[in-house]
Amino acid sequence: MSENQNNPAPLEPPMSPHKEYQEINSYVVFWGLFYAAIFALAIGYLCLKIGQTVDAFAPVSVMAMGMATMLKRKNAFPENVHIQAIASAGTNSIGGAMFILPAFYILGNTSLSYFQMAVPIILGGMLGVFIAAIFRRYFCEEMHHAYPFPAGRAAAGVLTSGEGSQAKLMIFTGAIALVYDFVLNSLGWWQEVISSTTFSWGQQLSDKFKLNFSLDNESALLGIGYFTGLRYAAIITAGSFFSWFVCIPIIYYLAGDHHMIVKGKDILLANAPVTSVFREYVRHIGIGMLAMAGIISLLTMSNVVKDVVKTVIATLRNKTDATQTFSLRTQQDIPMPLIVIGIIIVTLLFTAFFHVFFAQTILQTVLALIIVSVFAFLFSVVGISSIAFTGSEPVSGMSIFMIIVSAFVLGSVGMYGDMGIAAILIMAAFLCTALGVSGNFMSELKVAHLLGATPRKMQQWQLVAIALTGALSIGVILLINQAYGFVGATALPAPQANAMAVIIKPLMNGQAAHWPLYMAGAFGAIILWMIKVPPLAFALGAYLPMEINLPLLVGGLISHFVSHSSKDELLNALRLSKGETIASGLIAGGSIGSLISAVLRICGVDYFQEAWVETPAATYLGVLAYLALCAFLYKKAMSAKSVNFITNQITNT
C-alpha cells in the first residue's frame, strides 16, 4: 500500500468525530426495523421477478427525513443515518433467500421446514456482518481515495440534503407507481409484457426468422434502469441481444432436427417455441459466463485478499486489541476478539446444523465447512471490491461457481441424489447471504465514514436487523409460492434460483451437464474481459429474459438524456439527482404494488381481465401507459432548476 493509503487525509464529516451523539434510541430502532421488514417484503418480490436486489438507502433515507420533519425531531441527522443503515438489512440479506431457496420448489422438494430454510440465511447474514467489520478500516479508511463507493456516497448525499421536498416527491411518485403496478398485476387493464408476437407481423417474424422482441413495463424496472445508467444498461441489453438475436437463430439453423421435450412432449427443435429453446439451451451459455466472470474477479483481486489477511493476522497477534487503540469515535468497530469469536460461533452453528439435517458422514460435514469458509472469505473481498467500484455485486455468479466445486468435491465422498442437492443448495444459501451482506453493508459503513457515524453501533444493530429480515425473507418465499409458484405458466422467473436448479440437478444425479454450453459461455467471458467489456453485466443480460433487460436500457437512456440535457454541469447534476428520487419512488411503489397484488391473489380476490389482456388492444394500451410513465420520469426530472435560475427569479421579483 502507498503511503497515502496508509495515512489517509482526515475527513470533516457532518458529525464531528470529537463529539458524542445520541445515535441509537427507541425511535431509531423501531423505524429502522420497520423499514427493514417492509423492504424485505417488497424487494423480495422484485428479486424473484427480475433477479436483482435494490438498495433501500434512497427511499428509506427520504422517508426518514420526511418523518423527522413531520415529527420535528431535534436529533434528526444521526437518527436518520442509523435508520437507513438498519433498514438496509432488508435488502442486504435478501439475495441468499431469493437467489437460492426457490430452487427447492423448482426441483420439487417441498419438505424443508421454515426453520431449515431460515437458519442458513440468518447465520450467513451474521457472518457477512463480521466479515465487513474486519475489512472496514481497509476499504473505508485506508483506501478512501481508491474506492469510490457510488452507493455509499449516494446515500450520504441523500442524507445530507435534508430537503423535505424530496420526501414529498418520492412519496408522490411511489403512489403513482403503486397504483400503476397494482392495475397492471391485479386488474389486467393492459399487457405487462409488450411482445412483438402479439401482432401478426411479429408472429411472422418469429416463425420465419426466430426473432422476438419483448419488454416488461413494470414501473420498478424503469426505475432500476435509471439507476443502472446507460453504459451498464447497454452492456446488459447487448448480452440479451446476443442470446436472442445471435444464439437462438444459430441453434435453429444448425440443430433443427434435434429432438427436445417441451411440456412433456417430444418435438423437433425446429418446431419448438423460441422461449423454450432459450430456457433449455441458450441460457446455459449465460450461466457459463457468470461463473467465469466470478473467477476473473477473484483473480484480479488476489492482492487485496493477501493484504487484508495480513492485516487481520497482525491484529490478532498483537497483545492489545488494535481496533481499540484509535481514540476517535468514528474508528471504533466491534472489538476484534469479539468479531473472531462471532465468526467461530456462527461457523460452528452452521456446521452443526448442516451435519444434523443434511450430511451423512463427518467427512462430508468437514468438507462442506472448508468449502463455505474459504469461499465466504475469498469471495467477500471480490464482492466488496465490486460494490466499492460499481455499486453492484455478482453474488449469483460466485454462488454458481461454489455449487459446481461443491458438487465435484462432495460427490466424490458419496453425497449425491436429492439429499446431495438439498445439502449443496443450503451451503449456497449460506454463502450467498454472507456475500450479499458483507458487500452491501460495507456501503453502509462507508456512509458512517463519510458522515461521522460510529461503525460499532451500526455493526451491532445490523446483526439484529439481519436476524429479523432473514426470518421474514422465508415468509416472502412461502407467500410468493402460494400466489404464483416457481413452476408453471404463472410462475415468477426467479432467474438465479432456476440457474441453480438447472446446474445442480445433473451434477448430483449422475447426468451429463451442459458442459459444452458452459464452456462456450466461459470462453465468451474471457473474450469480453480481454476487450475490456464487463463480463458480469453482459452475462447477466445473456441469461435473463429479454423483457427484463430492455426496460433497463429505456431507463438508462432517460438517465443519459437527463444528465446531458444542458451545458450547465450543475444543472445536469440537479436534474439527474431529482430523477434518482423519482426512480426510487418507482422502485419502492412498484414493488409494494406488486406485493399487494400477490397477497390479494392468495386471498382469492381476482379481478384480472384474462381475456382482454391477451388482445392487441391491451398491448397498445400497455405501450401508451409505459410511454406516459417514461415521459413522467423525464419531464419531472427536467423540471429541476439551477441555482442561477432561482437567483434570477428572486431578483426579478
Side-chain angles (χ1 to χ4, degrees):
M1 287 179 281
S2 68
E3 184 177 349
N4 290 337
Q5 291 169 345
N6 279 317
N7 301 282
L11 296 175
E12 294 184 5
M15 298 166 61
S16 173
H18 306 285
K19 295 182 180 180
E20 293 293 330
Y21 298 85
Q22 188 182 23
E23 300 176 68
I24 301 293
N25 52 36
S26 58
Y27 173 85
V28 171
V29 173
F30 173 79
W31 286 110
L33 293 178
F34 174 79
Y35 288 132
I38 291 296
F39 278 89
L41 296 171
I43 303 305
Y45 169 84
L46 188 64
C47 186
L48 292 170
K49 176 74 176 179
I50 68 169
Q52 296 186 47
T53 58
V54 179
D55 288 329
F57 76 82
V60 171
S61 298
V62 174
M63 289 178 182
M65 290 188 295
M67 184 69 68
T69 300
M70 288 189 293
L71 298 178
K72 299 180 179 180
R73 300 290 299 183
K74 296 181 180 180
N75 190 43
F77 186 77
E79 290 177 342
N80 292 340
V81 171
H82 283 277
I83 286 174
Q84 69 87 31
I86 294 174
S88 70
T91 56
N92 292 348
S93 62
I94 207 75
M98 303 305 160
F99 289 173
I100 309 295
L101 296 181
F104 284 102
Y105 295 95
I106 294 168
L107 294 171
N109 185 346
T110 59
S111 62
L112 263 68
S113 67
Y114 197 105
F115 173 79
Q116 288 173 314
M117 290 191 288
V119 167
I121 304 303
I122 295 173
L123 294 180
M126 289 182 172
L127 178 62
V129 174
F130 289 131
I131 292 174
I134 288 177
F135 291 140
R136 184 203 65 82
R137 177 166 170 78
Y138 175 81
F139 280 97
C140 295
E141 295 183 23
E142 295 181 7
M143 302 296 288
H144 170 66
H145 299 288
Y147 293 117
F149 277 100
R153 291 184 184 274
V158 172
L159 287 165
T160 53
S161 64
E163 295 179 4
S165 59
Q166 275 192 319
K168 294 178 182 178
L169 176 60
M170 207 206 74
I171 292 173
F172 173 69
T173 305
I176 291 176
L178 189 154
V179 172
Y180 180 97
D181 278 17
F182 176 79
V183 170
L184 186 70
N185 292 300
S186 294
L187 304 181
W189 287 1
W190 57 81
Q191 179 62 264
E192 176 185 349
V193 177
I194 301 171
S195 175
S196 58
T197 56
T198 305
F199 310 100
S200 58
W201 60 265
Q203 190 61 55
Q204 292 176 6
L205 190 65
S206 177
D207 293 339
K208 292 182 179 180
F209 303 105
K210 308 302 180 185
L211 297 178
N212 284 5
F213 296 87
S214 56
L215 180 146
D216 192 317
N217 64 8
E218 280 196 347
S219 60
L221 292 174
L222 182 64
I224 291 173
Y226 190 93
F227 274 110
T228 302
L230 181 57
R231 170 170 164 73
Y232 278 95
I235 294 173
I236 292 171
T237 308
S240 191
F241 289 169
F242 170 75
S243 289
W244 289 83
F245 300 153
V246 177
C247 294
I248 286 178
I250 289 176
I251 289 176
Y252 272 104
Y253 181 76
L254 296 178
D257 57 350
H258 175 75
H259 286 257
M260 62 181 294
I261 304 298
V262 178
K263 297 181 180 180
K265 297 181 179 180
D266 188 336
I267 65 173
L268 286 174
L269 187 147
N271 300 325
V274 173
T275 53
S276 297
V277 173
F278 172 77
R279 286 194 302 268
E280 294 298 325
Y281 299 103
V282 176
R283 70 174 181 172
H284 294 287
I285 298 175
I287 291 172
M289 283 187 178
L290 284 171
M292 180 54 70
I295 296 173
I296 291 171
S297 298
L298 179 61
L299 293 176
T300 56
M301 295 302 302
S302 58
N303 290 333
V304 174
V305 176
K306 290 188 291 186
D307 289 343
V308 176
V309 169
K310 289 179 181 178
T311 301
V312 174
I313 293 175
T315 301
L316 293 177
R317 285 180 175 176
N318 200 325
K319 293 182 180 180
T320 60
D321 182 7
T323 61
Q324 301 303 309
T325 61
F326 305 116
S327 58
L328 294 180
R329 175 183 54 79
T330 53
Q331 294 178 311
Q332 296 175 3
D333 296 287
I334 295 175
M336 185 61 71
L338 291 182
I339 292 176
V340 174
I341 292 173
I343 291 174
I344 293 173
I345 291 175
V346 166
T347 305
L348 290 178
L349 285 175
F350 178 76
T351 303
F353 163 78
F354 183 85
H355 183 71
V356 170
F357 290 102
F358 299 100
Q360 297 168 317
T361 66
I362 297 260
L363 178 59
Q364 291 175 355
T365 301
V366 171
L367 290 175
L369 170 63
I370 294 173
I371 290 171
V372 295
S373 298
V374 171
F375 278 104
F377 280 91
L378 292 181
F379 278 167
S380 286
V381 175
V382 177
I384 292 171
S385 301
S386 179
I387 287 281
F389 279 117
T390 68
S392 61
E393 186 179 13
V395 292
S396 58
M398 293 185 286
S399 299
I400 287 171
F401 182 65
M402 189 224 71
I403 285 177
I404 295 173
V405 173
S406 299
F408 176 77
V409 174
L410 295 179
S412 66
V413 293
M415 183 172 278
Y416 52 85
D418 292 341
M419 195 64 183
I421 291 174
I424 292 179
L425 287 178
I426 286 295
M427 292 168 59
F430 177 80
L431 174 69
C432 189
T433 307
L435 298 180
V437 171
S438 62
N440 287 288
F441 183 50
M442 190 64 77
S443 280
E444 299 300 331
L445 293 174
K446 186 62 179 181
V447 173
H449 177 62
L450 294 171
L451 301 183
T454 306
R456 174 176 49 82
K457 295 179 180 179
M458 198 172 278
Q459 293 157 3
Q460 291 168 343
W461 283 99
Q462 185 75 187
L463 290 170
V464 176
I466 286 293
L468 171 66
T469 57
L472 279 176
S473 65
I474 307 305
V476 175
I477 291 176
L478 298 178
L479 181 75
I480 296 299
N481 184 53
Q482 291 183 17
Y484 299 99
F486 296 108
V487 293
T490 62
L492 291 181
Q496 278 82 356
N498 271 283
M500 309 300 168
V502 167
I503 290 174
I504 190 64
K505 186 175 182 179
L507 292 176
M508 301 306 293
N509 286 332
Q511 301 176 16
H514 296 275
W515 289 114
L517 297 178
Y518 296 148
M519 293 302 295
F523 283 110
I526 294 173
I527 293 171
L528 291 168
W529 173 74
M530 292 173 66
I531 60 176
K532 301 187 183 303
V533 174
L536 279 169
F538 192 93
L540 186 63
Y543 174 75
L544 289 173
M546 182 187 296
E547 61 262 24
I548 301 298
N549 298 324
L550 275 182
L552 303 184
L553 181 61
V554 175
L557 285 169
I558 294 175
S559 174
H560 175 79
F561 291 142
V562 168
S563 62
H564 293 77
S565 58
S566 169
K567 294 182 179 179
D568 186 343
E569 294 299 326
L570 176 60
L571 178 58
N572 287 339
L574 290 172
R575 289 174 172 172
L576 182 64
S577 178
K578 188 169 185 177
E580 289 173 349
T581 301
I582 299 167
S584 297
L586 294 178
I587 294 168
S591 300
I592 294 171
S594 298
L595 187 65
I596 292 173
S597 298
V599 173
L600 291 177
R601 182 174 295 192
I602 291 174
C603 297
V605 180
D606 186 7
Y607 294 99
F608 196 83
Q609 305 297 314
E610 293 282 358
W612 159 258
V613 80
E614 297 298 330
T615 64
T619 299
Y620 282 123
L621 187 57
V623 172
L624 292 176
Y626 191 65
L627 290 176
L629 192 65
C630 294
F632 169 76
L633 172 58
Y634 177 76
K635 289 291 186 181
K636 202 68 177 176
M638 291 291 290
S639 66
K641 306 297 182 183
S642 67
V643 176
N644 292 334
F645 177 85
I646 297 173
T647 303
N648 292 336
Q649 290 292 99
I650 295 174
T651 302
N652 294 335
T653 302

